Amino acid sequence: GTDAVEKVDNPYYLLAIFDAIMSTMTKDNGKKIWMCKSMGMSKFHDLLLSFYGKERLRYIYLVRDPRDVCLSFMKTPVGDCHPYAISKKWANLQNFAAN
């Protein structure tokens, strides 16, 4: 019904599901914390900060060779496969995360 659609449209609801899955996998693998290395998550900083709080939300800034990034993404079965498209998307995400 309408209630189910409203829940799914709520970003906190979806984030809670994501967190529950990641937390379950963490415990099942005998770990204490989990991390997401998706740079795309940087677009949701305000939501993440609101959900996790300053005490729990952390970022790790990695310096990577863009050529290595391209080669890595070219091996994935989904998404862009052309080096130019990968480089452009990666550069845009870098700029977004830095600002």
Side-chain angles (χ1 to χ4, degrees):
T2 305
D3 290 340
V5 172
E6 288 175 6
K7 283 183 180 178
V8 173
D9 281 344
N10 182 339
Y12 290 104
Y13 180 76
L14 297 175
L15 190 52
I17 293 170
F18 175 76
D19 183 68
I21 292 168
M22 296 301 283
S23 296
T24 299
M25 292 298 295
T26 300
K27 289 177 186 172
D28 288 352
N29 286 286
K31 305 297 180 188
K32 293 181 182 180
I33 62 170
W34 62 266
M35 63 190 284
C36 177
K37 66 179 190 173
S38 170
M39 282 195 44
M41 293 295 275
S42 64
K43 291 183 176 183
F44 303 100
H45 169 74
D46 293 339
L47 175 67
L48 294 167
L49 185 59
S50 174
F51 186 83
Y52 290 110
K54 290 181 181 179
E55 298 78 29
R56 188 166 174 211
L57 182 64
R58 298 286 182 261
Y59 289 95
I60 299 173
Y61 187 77
L62 299 175
V63 178
R64 288 189 69 191
D65 183 332
R67 297 168 296 181
D68 183 50
V69 173
C70 279
L71 289 173
S72 178
F73 274 97
M74 288 172 68
K75 295 175 188 174
T76 62
V78 295
D80 296 314
C81 294
H82 193 277
Y84 177 78
I86 294 168
S87 299
K88 189 170 182 172
K89 183 177 181 180
W90 182 76
N92 287 338
L93 284 170
Q94 288 288 314
N95 289 332
F96 185 87
N99 296 318

